[in-house]
Amino acid sequence: MASRASEQDLTLVTVPSPKRGLREGEIALPRGSVTAQAGLLVLDKPQGRTSHDLVAAVRRLAATKKVGHAGTLDPLATGVLVLGIGQATKLLTYVVGADKTYEATIRLGASTITDDAEGEVTAAAGAENLSLAQIEAGIAQLRGEIMQVPSAVSAIKINGKRSYARVRAGETVELAARPVTIHRFEILSDIETQQLEDGVTVQDLKVLVECSSGTYIRALARDLGEALGCGGHLTQLRRTQVGPFTLADAKTLPELAQAVSEDNEAEAPQGLQTLSLDEACGRYFPTRPVGEELKDLRYGRPISRSNLSGVVAAQDDSGHTVALIEDRGKYARPVYVIDPA
């Protein structure tokens, strides 16, 4: 079994079938010898894999079925994917709503059915006459609080069926616009002009987007192209941050597989290492020390108000998070008791 693989060599991380074994460029995922510590795992998602693929891989590495993710990334996309393991899966309800940061490449001059490079081109008007001033003006219209229509080829359910499944079945899908907030939308480098094989001239711009949860970067590319009258779609997407969790926290699957292989050979295996519940809660939520009311919290009883906005991590004297609480009326009430009596 190959235990190491560079990102360039890695085409698939998988558990090989006994009938076919490993193909070139694949590595086998070892199964963890003990269940991983409950906590959050920040993964650097590779291109071409679905978020579900990554959850399945980590279930094997962590030796537990209790793994979930805080918001999907398209197969085209790479970067920060926050996973919860064990008890920490209950934290994902809150992490999924965090603001996110992306670096992306938008191609102006052509539209696709999926609003990204994975779909067939539906129109190619070209963008050779667009000026930087026009592009900047188009971007300015998409900053702040806007109403965005999600991409039709998305995982949104319509009467119980995924939107992308309806599109692929030949149905015409019209999704309702929803409010999102674009905190930043900026061009990162010089715009590249190039001519495609069919002679159409397009312009590629690398952008930085900071946005609220629920924003579709593909839809931003589409809407910018429509505003400029030339069409547009996404060709690259990398998520660099989810809330306080960044690429600096992230591990790749080959790194995790190597760590688990080494752990399995240790005399006292520790399991897949994660951001502990205490560390994850301390980084993501405002914190409040709790003294004499600690016993009440452990029994799920309300305590005095925190006078802090939103969900708060209630901690004991050692910094251990006992519960997540939220002010409701005259009291702070536990919404999740992490360490009950």
Side-chain angles (χ1 to χ4, degrees), residues 67-231:
V67 179
H69 63 75
T72 60
L73 275 174
D74 291 336
L76 172 74
T78 67
V80 174
L81 183 68
V82 180
L83 304 181
I85 297 177
Q87 193 178 4
T89 53
K90 292 187 178 180
L91 300 182
L92 300 179
T93 299
Y94 307 100
V95 178
V96 73
D99 286 352
K100 298 171 177 66
T101 303
Y102 298 87
E103 292 182 3
T105 301
I106 295 174
R107 173 161 292 176
L108 296 175
S111 302
T112 72
I113 192 171
T114 57
D115 300 328
D116 64 19
E118 295 194 319
E120 62 181 276
V121 175
T122 56
E128 58 186 322
N129 297 319
L130 279 180
S131 67
L132 177 60
Q134 288 175 304
I135 295 173
E136 290 279 15
I139 288 175
Q141 296 177 34
L142 295 170
R143 294 192 187 109
E145 296 180 1
I146 64 172
M147 295 297 292
Q148 183 184 71
V149 177
S151 298
V153 183
S154 67
I156 295 173
K157 285 187 175 181
I158 305 172
N159 296 327
K161 187 175 181 180
R162 301 288 185 186
S163 179
Y164 64 74
R166 292 183 178 277
V167 171
R168 289 169 183 166
E171 297 182 36
T172 299
V173 173
E174 294 184 5
L175 297 175
R178 55 184 62 186
V180 298
T181 303
I182 311 301
H183 305 293
R184 292 179 65 189
F185 188 0
E186 301 173 359
I187 299 175
L188 287 177
S189 60
D190 292 339
I191 297 174
E192 296 183 8
T193 301
Q194 58 178 306
Q195 194 171 61
L196 304 182
E197 293 180 359
D198 56 6
V200 174
T201 299
V202 296
Q203 296 196 40
D204 290 345
L205 49 148
K206 296 185 183 299
V207 299
L208 171 71
V209 178
E210 293 179 4
C211 57
S212 63
S213 178
T215 302
Y216 283 81
I217 310 302
R218 286 184 289 154
L220 276 183
R222 175 203 66 205
D223 292 345
L224 178 60
E226 288 181 357
L228 296 171
C230 62

Side-chain angles (χ1 to χ4, degrees), residues 271-282:
L272 189 66
Q273 297 302 297
T274 64
L275 292 173
S276 69
L277 280 166
D278 285 339
E279 184 178 0
C281 289

